[in-house]
Amino acid sequence: MASNLVVGFLAIFSIILLLAGTSDAWLRKPHFYASSCPNVEQIVFNTMKQAVSKEPRMGASILRLFFHDCFVNGCDGSVLLDDTPTSQGEKMAFPNRNNSIRGFEVIDAIKSNVEAACSGTVSCADILALAARDGVQLLGGPTWNVKLGRRDARTANMTLANLNLPPGNAPLSNLTELFARQNLNIREMTALSGGHTIGFARCTNFRDHIYNDSNIDPNFAATRKASCPRPTGTGDFNLAPMDIQTPNTFDNDYYKNLVAKRGLLHSDQELYNGGSQDSLVKMYSTNQALFFQDFAAAMIRMGDLKPLTGTNGEIRNNCRVIN
């Protein structure tokens, strides 16, 4: 009798939490869509495979898009919203503008394919989380179970995007504080920074580092200067690989570059500059399996940031606009 009462109480309590729209991560699970959209993960993977095969850089772009989503009010798909005459999105925030974040058309394609299979069921926030994981895996990186069940935000926040996203010239203390705001510790910060083992950056984001910093290999600086002239406004959008060795492969070369003082951004090299993260960077540079393990765990933790669940938010029909 007592056991039946306990079971009944727990069931009622779970329903109350669900109706309240609690954001507790344990309400989400990797198989959230097992009945409502059983093929969603395969659909996302197949579409990402096509996109990455066409342009390997897209794996990095989608990973960056997910990061920039999660650091602004949590992983709620708000970064995907376009500006409207009555509301401002996050795409024109300083860290995001001038095509600094990209890949929206890939998310659109995934959403279209998912909608064709199971209309009005899978959130754009979940699609982005899955696509980020798949992009990493397709470029040779680790995989992990993505908790699902997020819902989409109805609003965006440009102010928080400007405040919360780490700039490329940030010192270690600022990086640590920005990650701490998201309840991510310094080891998770260093592991997540390893996402810079893929992708490219614009000259305007690393110009100061290659011309003004002393903690940089001179030969590496000279290589980068060849396509990034010193005068501001000249070659600002010229691209350089974040990882000079294997820019389209997810590996631990990023950390090897830091040890050799060949980090592209000032904020990258801050992780190995006589500070608290030097020893961890060295460990990752010689132990790719450890990096992969920590990166996957940190991605799961980042994916838990303030998810909208229950009746909060919505399931957008179009990732760029609210319903």
Side-chain angles (χ1 to χ4, degrees), residues 267-279:
S267 57
D268 289 326
Q269 198 58 57
E270 279 288 287
L271 299 178
Y272 189 83
N273 192 32
S276 63
Q277 297 308 287
D278 282 17
S279 60

Side-chain angles (χ1 to χ4, degrees), residues 201-204 206 227-229 234-240:
R202 294 173 298 159
C203 166
T204 187
F206 60 82
S227 59
C228 183
T234 305
D236 285 0
F237 300 108
N238 292 348
L239 296 174

Side-chain angles (χ1 to χ4, degrees), residues 12 38 47 49 98 134 137 145 190 200 204 207 237 241 265 294:
I12 293 171
T47 313
K49 186 176 181 179
N98 295 322
D134 293 345
Q137 182 184 6
N145 288 326
T190 301
F200 293 75
T204 187
R207 177 183 281 122
F237 300 108
L265 303 179
D294 284 2

Side-chain angles (χ1 to χ4, degrees), residues 178-200:
L178 289 172
F179 276 77
R181 285 185 197 173
Q182 310 300 332
N183 293 318
L184 295 168
N185 62 43
I186 196 167
R187 185 184 182 104
E188 290 166 331
M189 177 195 78
T190 301
L192 289 171
S193 296
H196 284 178
T197 190
I198 52 176
F200 293 75

Side-chain angles (χ1 to χ4, degrees), residues 28-31 41 44-45 48 59-60 62-64 66-67 70 75 125-148 150 191-192 194-195 197-198 250-251 289-304:
R28 296 176 296 111
K29 55 188 179 181
H31 305 296
E41 293 201 40
V44 175
F45 182 84
M48 276 298 294
I62 298 298
L63 177 61
R64 178 176 173 81
F66 182 56
F67 176 83
C70 292
C75 310
D126 275 348
I127 285 172
L128 181 54
L130 287 168
R133 186 268 312 270
D134 293 345
V136 169
Q137 182 184 6
L138 285 163
L139 293 177
T143 189
W144 57 91
N145 288 326
V146 175
K147 295 178 185 177
L148 300 171
R150 301 171 188 80
L192 289 171
T197 190
I198 52 176
F250 197 99
D251 53 26
L290 177 63
F291 162 51
F292 278 13
Q293 174 185 305
D294 284 2
F295 181 84
M299 286 294 292
I300 293 171
R301 283 264 292 126
M302 187 173 74
D304 281 344

Side-chain angles (χ1 to χ4, degrees), residues 44-310:
V44 175
F45 182 84
N46 289 344
T47 313
M48 276 298 294
K49 186 176 181 179
Q50 292 174 357
V52 172
S53 296
K54 182 178 179 181
E55 182 190 10
R57 182 189 173 197
M58 192 53 67
S61 297
I62 298 298
L63 177 61
R64 178 176 173 81
L65 200 55
F66 182 56
F67 176 83
H68 281 222
D69 184 39
C70 292
F71 263 53
V72 183
N73 275 338
C75 310
D76 59 6
S78 61
V79 74
L80 303 173
L81 290 171
D82 287 340
D83 289 350
T84 71
T86 57
S87 64
Q88 195 172 42
E90 297 164 14
K91 294 180 180 180
M92 291 305 294
F94 185 76
N96 294 339
R97 65 181 59 175
N98 295 322
N99 210 32
S100 179
I101 54 172
R102 58 196 294 275
F104 299 104
E105 70 285 354
V106 173
I107 300 301
D108 291 341
I110 297 173
K111 178 65 171 175
S112 178
N113 291 339
V114 170
E115 286 293 300
C118 30
S119 178
T121 302
V122 182
S123 68
C124 299
D126 275 348
I127 285 172
L128 181 54
L130 287 168
R133 186 268 312 270
D134 293 345
V136 169
Q137 182 184 6
L138 285 163
L139 293 177
T143 189
W144 57 91
N145 288 326
V146 175
K147 295 178 185 177
L148 300 171
R150 301 171 188 80
R151 289 168 66 83
D152 297 321
R154 295 190 178 98
T155 59
N157 194 320
M158 180 184 281
T159 300
L160 274 186
N162 284 321
L163 289 174
N164 285 357
L165 294 171
N169 61 353
L172 183 60
S173 58
N174 188 22
L175 292 171
T176 304
E177 194 273 330
L178 289 172
F179 276 77
R181 285 185 197 173
Q182 310 300 332
N183 293 318
L184 295 168
N185 62 43
I186 196 167
R187 185 184 182 104
E188 290 166 331
M189 177 195 78
T190 301
L192 289 171
S193 296
H196 284 178
T197 190
I198 52 176
F200 293 75
R202 294 173 298 159
C203 166
T204 187
N205 290 323
F206 60 82
R207 177 183 281 122
D208 284 346
H209 180 50
I210 63 174
Y211 283 101
N212 299 326
D213 288 348
S214 59
N215 60 339
I216 185 170
D217 173 68
N219 293 326
F220 174 70
T223 299
R224 293 281 66 93
K225 288 174 183 178
S227 59
C228 183
R230 187 163 200 157
T232 300
T234 305
D236 285 0
F237 300 108
N238 292 348
L239 296 174
M242 300 292 291
D243 170 7
I244 195 172
Q245 300 187 74
T246 54
N248 293 322
T249 301
F250 197 99
D251 53 26
N252 66 335
D253 281 354
Y254 168 79
Y255 300 101
K256 295 176 183 178
N257 293 332
L258 297 186
V259 172
K261 295 186 178 181
R262 293 185 298 191
L264 184 62
L265 303 179
H266 175 89
S267 57
D268 289 326
Q269 198 58 57
E270 279 288 287
L271 299 178
Y272 189 83
N273 192 32
S276 63
Q277 297 308 287
D278 282 17
S279 60
L280 183 58
V281 168
K282 279 188 176 180
M283 287 174 61
Y284 287 159
S285 73
T286 59
N287 190 336
Q288 181 167 281
L290 177 63
F291 162 51
F292 278 13
Q293 174 185 305
D294 284 2
F295 181 84
M299 286 294 292
I300 293 171
R301 283 264 292 126
M302 187 173 74
D304 281 344
L305 293 177
K306 303 177 185 176
L308 296 174
T309 57

